[in-house]
Amino acid sequence: MRLLILCGAQAVGKMTVGQELAKLTPLKLFHNHMTIEPVLELFGYFHGPAVDRLRQVVFEEFAGTDNYGMIFTYVWAFSEQADWDYVANLRRIFEDAGGTVDIVELIAPQEVRLQRNRTENRLREKPSKRDVAVSEGFIFHAEEKYRCVSEPGEVPYANYLRLDNSRLSPREAAEAIVRHFGYERK
């Protein structure tokens, strides 16, 4: 069992790269909006505890299966201890089940991410991003409040890759990840 945490700032391309990885490998994609969107629809607002509980159940149940592995996309605020604790919890769930945890941090400058914020795929898969002005506001706000790009050497895990995907297609980024970690191919 493998868990790939695919992290990075908003609109860096996590879901799209994850979709390509799911095409290339037996890894299943569980992107963060798969829990965010239904909670927004039901509650009418972002209800963090409901999102977290839904995810926790999925992680615990999936870790106990014989599936090859999962890709989970995550905006990791490196400036926040709670996010470090969240990643430690994910690692514990999968490692306690005998799995391996890999982390890929995608990085791209703000101007690239603002362009990606408007892509057809993103807007189709994430209804809450369809008001692009509001979505861009979240990008600006997050950059003011949090540090969503790690410092060189900050992430202490051996199974870690920092990948600048600003000039890579999603397929090229996915191929680089597959090669780096030696994932099984479909």
Side-chain angles (χ1 to χ4, degrees):
M1 171 68 63
R2 297 187 83 156
L3 170 65
L4 169 59
I5 301 172
L6 192 54
C7 65
Q10 294 87 347
V12 76
K14 298 176 296 293
M15 179 190 67
T16 310
V17 171
Q19 289 168 329
E20 291 299 317
L21 280 164
K23 291 175 189 173
L24 293 171
T25 71
L27 293 165
K28 307 288 187 186
L29 177 60
F30 181 44
H31 69 79
N32 58 349
H33 276 262
M34 292 170 79
T35 52
I36 292 171
E37 297 299 336
V39 168
L40 287 172
E41 181 69 25
L42 288 168
F43 286 78
Y45 60 93
F46 181 80
H47 189 277
V51 170
D52 290 345
R53 288 181 63 196
L54 286 170
R55 289 177 182 171
Q56 187 75 12
V57 168
V58 171
F59 296 136
E60 289 172 354
E61 293 299 322
F62 193 88
T65 70
D66 61 356
N67 282 292
Y68 179 76
M70 171 193 288
I71 304 157
F72 176 61
T73 67
Y74 183 60
V75 177
W76 184 348
F78 294 96
S79 55
E80 301 298 309
Q81 184 60 48
D83 283 13
W84 285 90
D85 295 344
Y86 189 78
V87 170
N89 175 58
L90 294 180
R91 291 176 57 85
R92 180 193 52 75
I93 292 168
F94 282 83
E95 289 172 352
D96 284 358
T100 302
V101 178
D102 305 315
I103 299 174
V104 173
E105 180 185 359
L106 299 177
I107 59 171
Q110 183 187 78
E111 59 270 14
V112 171
R113 294 185 297 111
L114 289 172
Q115 291 171 354
R116 290 178 179 169
N117 189 52
R118 298 171 174 267
T119 63
E120 181 181 334
N121 185 46
R122 180 176 172 85
L123 299 178
R124 180 180 57 251
E125 297 290 329
K126 300 176 180 182
S128 64
K129 303 299 181 186
R130 292 179 185 156
D131 185 333
V132 175
V134 170
S135 184
E136 285 179 357
F138 284 130
I139 291 171
F140 297 132
H141 173 74
E143 287 186 3
E144 291 172 8
K145 189 170 181 179
Y146 305 107
R147 185 171 53 81
C148 295
V149 177
S150 71
E151 300 290 341
E154 180 178 17
V155 179
Y157 306 121
N159 292 358
Y160 168 75
L161 173 64
R162 189 173 198 236
L163 181 64
D164 182 340
N165 70 324
S166 56
R167 295 178 187 232
L168 299 175
S169 71
R171 183 65 170 228
E172 291 168 331
E175 288 284 0
I177 293 166
V178 169
R179 283 191 306 273
H180 182 83
F181 290 110
Y183 289 133
E184 180 180 308
R185 291 181 178 265
K186 284 186 177 174

